Amino acid sequence: MIEPLQERRLSCLLLAAGLIAGAMPTAIAAQVPASAVQDAPRELVAFTENLPPLNYAEAGEASGFSTELLRLMSAEAGVRLRIEVLPWQRSVQEAARRADSVLFSLVRTPEREHQYRWVGPISPRRILVYRLRHRTDVRPASLKQLNGLRLGVSRDSAAARQLLADGLRPEQELELGLDDATNLRKLLAGRMDLIVMLDWAAAWHLRELKLPYSTLTPVLSMDVDKAYWFGLPADSDPAVARRLQVALDRLRRDGRYERLRQQYFD
């Protein structure tokens, strides 16, 4: 009778030890803060287009001001990042398919307001009409009163569509060029009097030609009341958008934003 009793006691002790050991991981897990799980590294997939100098592909790699800014923000926020440069419509479609995406550089408009969680702004969006600095004779009254001046604009741009809708006639007041670089070369050669261009693009293309930004003088504003932003899908994690916004605000405060901007636009 003694030996079986001792065996039962030993069995009970072993069972109790096993239960305690099995409960330990649960107890430890209960002590792990929820924020530690929420702050685990995430990967965002960013989609963009060729719009130098804001974003573009160079030697197969995503580059540009907005691209480098997003990389800095992601590193600051502890978010892993992958960037793809695609035609714009495809970028919009790919970004819409996944909640862990970022679309840029995106113009914030009332029509898009509820489609995205907005992080930014990246930069003002200023589309201006330029003349050459030494052409002081070029004084347009307005975009609708060019008085015989020839205005160059990129053929497939939103600015071109707006000018055509306003009644400017191709091959008369309006010259539809292949792209901004082509229009700038024509302006420098005296083959047109004015060009429409994003100020970032004007600075970029002049630098490519080793010319200062002061080579051009803005004479009219076409669209200067909007800005470029990063857009996360409306159904994305709001915490990620907040962390990216905090990171961007910090980059502005400590001077890294301005130093980066000067690399692309001075």
Side-chain angles (χ1 to χ4, degrees):
M1 292 295 295
I2 294 175
E3 289 182 2
L5 179 61
Q6 289 175 339
E7 287 180 359
R8 284 198 297 273
R9 287 177 178 173
L10 180 60
S11 297
C12 290
L13 288 172
L14 291 173
L15 177 61
L19 290 173
I20 293 172
M24 285 179 66
T26 304
I28 293 171
Q31 296 174 11
V32 176
S35 60
V37 176
Q38 294 172 355
D39 290 340
R42 301 172 173 84
E43 180 179 73
L44 289 179
V45 183
F47 297 96
T48 189
E49 65 171 334
N50 278 298
L51 182 67
L54 291 169
N55 26 263
Y56 58 95
E58 185 174 52
E61 293 292 329
S63 189
F65 172 77
S66 301
T67 305
E68 295 304 321
L69 181 62
L70 182 58
R71 285 193 176 112
L72 287 174
M73 291 163 55
S74 300
E76 194 78 13
V79 177
R80 291 177 293 131
L81 181 68
R82 177 163 57 90
I83 303 176
E84 296 187 20
V85 182
L86 303 170
W88 181 245
Q89 286 305 318
R90 188 177 166 201
S91 283
V92 173
Q93 293 166 0
E94 292 296 326
R97 291 193 180 103
R98 46 192 310 162
D100 60 348
S101 68
V102 184
L103 183 65
F104 72 101
S105 295
L106 188 61
V107 180
R108 188 170 183 173
T109 64
E111 297 77 18
R112 291 172 171 167
E113 187 63 32
H114 299 294
Q115 298 177 22
Y116 298 96
R117 296 187 188 278
W118 299 95
V119 176
I122 298 171
S123 163
R125 175 181 176 268
R126 303 175 69 242
I127 298 178
L128 303 173
V129 179
Y130 293 94
R131 65 167 171 82
L132 292 175
R133 180 179 57 184
H134 69 270
R135 287 290 307 275
T136 55
D137 59 306
V138 176
R139 298 179 180 274
S142 70
L143 283 171
K144 296 183 179 180
Q145 297 178 16
L146 295 177
N147 301 322
L149 297 172
R150 287 177 65 83
L151 173 65
V153 64
S154 293
R155 180 180 297 125
D156 297 323
S157 66
R161 292 191 291 273
Q162 182 60 55
L163 291 167
L164 289 168
D166 289 343
L168 272 70
R169 297 166 294 181
E171 306 308 323
Q172 295 188 45
E173 303 98 342
L174 195 63
E175 182 160 342
L176 300 173
L178 179 64
D179 52 35
D180 286 337
T182 301
N183 285 341
L184 179 57
R185 288 193 294 270
K186 287 183 177 180
L187 182 74
L188 292 168
R191 295 171 56 189
M192 56 179 62
D193 306 297
L194 300 157
I195 55 172
V196 175
M197 201 179 297
L198 178 70
D199 58 352
W200 278 88
W204 171 260
H205 290 297
L206 285 166
R207 179 180 289 185
E208 291 289 287
L209 296 172
K210 300 186 178 350
L211 295 172
Y213 184 57
S214 59
T215 301
L216 299 180
T217 297
V219 292
L220 293 171
S221 297
M222 183 170 176
D223 189 353
V224 295
D225 62 349
K226 299 179 181 67
Y228 287 113
W229 292 70
F230 299 105
L232 284 71
D235 61 349
S236 64
D237 184 353
V240 176
R242 285 195 298 269
R243 289 166 64 181
L244 289 173
Q245 186 66 60
V246 168
L248 175 57
D249 294 342
R250 187 178 299 120
L251 293 171
R252 290 185 185 277
R253 288 194 304 270
D254 65 20
R256 281 180 286 173
Y257 172 94
E258 182 58 25
R259 289 194 294 273
L260 179 63
R261 192 192 75 87
Q262 290 174 0
Q263 295 177 26
Y264 292 90
F265 190 163
D266 54 20

